[in-house]
Amino acid sequence: MANEAAIDVRRVSKSFERGTRVLDDVSFSVDCREMVALIGASGSGKSTLIRALAGLVAVDKTPAAQACAGTIAIFGRPIQREGRIARGAKELRVRVGVIFQQFNLVPRLSVLTNVCLGLLGRMPFLRGTLSNFTLDEKRAAMHALARVGMTEHALKRGVELSGDQQQRAAIARTLVQGAELVIADEPIASLDPASARRVMDILADMNRKDGITILVSLHQVEYALTYCPRAIALKAGKIVYDGPCDELTPALLSHIYSAECSEFFPPSFDRPGLPRDRRESEAAKLRAAPKERAVAGHAAQTGHGSADRLSA
């Protein structure tokens, strides 16, 4: 597995109606044990891409002449091919944990049972349907809850939890699942900054200690800069940047996103190690800098190295 990519996407497109492409000829790969941020403004195609990666929505079929186009592979095995979900998708999903913005807990079930549901893909159908979990499985769920600081809430129902607690329970469920790849669709979008940092700390810990590959969709780029070495930026369904987060300067974001870039650096964000005056300065530049100054600033700060990663 060391030489396999955790995710390999080759020329994937997705249209929903009237030929409008939500994803437009997207190609990239993510190596095992990477932690990668997927960034972009609202409507850029991030959620559709994540659902495609998880095998929840089929991508467009490509002409037969385009070999390997329209293919998504997970750990070297196709989960999508020729406009269809592959036959082996069910087995692959066991290795992939998907975390949604909406948490997806069962409200009436206890937190402990919700976490145990991560085992369903590895259990006999009848035992899973009856939620008949063994003592060892419940212990594993409690260990996962301890990892995310939620043991005291194990017997509460899902509906009784705050948004932050529900998201941490959802992450614990992926730990119990034994996921080797976690794909998170804006998991901190509805959380306050302190809760968002807590969730991102947990994902980073899973990547560092467990070697779990993480692809996390983020609306605000400050979290990508803090937690992820690499970023993939989408705009109108196309990849417009794929490279180190360190090179995602305010000037470069202004160049890529123009007016949309003001969404990415909220002035209230408390980035660890980043002085407040610098945060406010960067946010002000993003709000005020016209495109011409942004391009000049990008050239002065990053040279040609970053520009090479921008799509034509």
Side-chain angles (χ1 to χ4, degrees):
M1 185 182 299
N3 295 325
E4 292 177 352
I7 301 171
D8 187 22
V9 178
R10 301 193 184 186
R11 303 197 64 181
V12 162
S13 297
K14 175 63 182 178
S15 305
F16 283 110
E17 58 182 15
R18 297 183 181 179
T20 302
R21 286 187 172 184
V22 180
L23 299 175
D24 191 356
D25 203 21
V26 170
S27 297
F28 68 94
S29 64
V30 174
D31 290 336
C32 292
R33 298 177 177 267
E34 272 198 284
M35 183 163 180
V36 180
L38 180 65
I39 66 170
S42 300
S44 60
K46 301 190 303 296
S47 293
T48 300
L49 177 57
I50 282 177
R51 292 179 65 82
L53 294 174
L56 300 177
V57 58
V59 299
D60 293 349
K61 187 174 182 179
T62 57
Q66 298 181 14
C68 295
T71 299
I72 299 176
I74 304 294
F75 298 117
R77 294 177 54 191
I79 195 168
Q80 296 219 34
R81 183 168 50 192
E82 298 177 354
R84 296 181 180 179
I85 308 298
R87 289 184 177 180
K90 183 177 179 180
E91 289 76 17
L92 282 174
R93 288 194 189 105
V94 174
R95 303 172 67 182
V96 180
V98 185
I99 300 171
F100 296 98
Q101 181 180 342
Q102 296 81 12
F103 318 128
N104 282 12
L105 298 186
V106 181
R108 64 182 179 82
L109 296 181
S110 71
V111 174
L112 179 62
T113 302
N114 268 288
V115 173
C116 285
L117 293 178
L119 295 163
L120 291 182
R122 303 178 186 272
M123 291 173 58
F125 176 77
L126 181 59
R127 189 160 72 88
T129 301
L130 297 175
S131 297
N132 185 15
F133 302 108
T134 67
L135 182 59
D136 284 343
E137 289 167 344
K138 292 178 180 178
R139 284 174 177 162
M142 287 299 296
H143 179 71
L145 284 169
R147 283 280 303 271
V148 300
M150 287 282 293
T151 52
E152 68 272 26
H153 302 291
L155 299 182
K156 291 182 179 179
R157 293 188 302 163
V159 72
E160 298 177 62
L161 301 182
S162 67
D164 163 50
Q165 292 166 345
Q166 289 188 59
Q167 196 60 286
R168 284 188 282 153
I171 294 173
R173 185 172 54 200
T174 68
L175 286 168
V176 166
Q177 178 184 337
E180 301 164 56
L181 165 66
V182 169
I183 304 172
D185 185 11
E186 298 204 17
I188 60 175
S190 59
L191 305 181
D192 62 82
S195 298
R197 285 195 298 273
R198 187 180 298 116
V199 167
M200 291 301 299
D201 284 341
I202 293 168
L203 292 176
D205 184 71
M206 291 165 60
N207 173 253
R208 183 175 61 256
K209 292 184 178 178
D210 303 284
I212 297 172
T213 307
I214 307 286
L215 178 66
V216 53
S217 167
L218 297 168
H219 188 69
Q220 295 173 346
V221 78
E222 277 284 3
Y223 291 97
L225 296 176
T226 302
Y227 291 96
C228 302
R230 174 185 169 198
I232 297 171
L234 283 177
K235 181 179 180 181
K238 290 179 174 289
I239 292 181
V240 291
Y241 177 86
D242 184 350
C245 281
D246 288 347
E247 297 183 13
L248 279 175
T249 63
L252 178 56
L253 287 167
S254 293
H255 175 55
I256 295 173
Y257 290 104
S258 300
E260 294 175 326
C261 70
S262 60
E263 300 180 30
F264 295 122
F265 280 100
S268 61
F269 182 84
D270 184 19
R271 180 183 171 191
L274 189 63
R276 180 174 298 277
D277 58 349
R278 182 179 162 193
R279 291 199 307 270
E280 293 174 349
S281 174
E282 289 186 346
K285 283 191 287 184
L286 281 169
R287 289 193 298 268
K291 185 174 182 180
E292 293 77 12
R293 288 172 56 192
V295 174
H298 165 56
Q301 294 181 42
T302 64
H304 296 292
S306 299
D308 291 341
R309 296 187 179 91
L310 298 177
S311 67

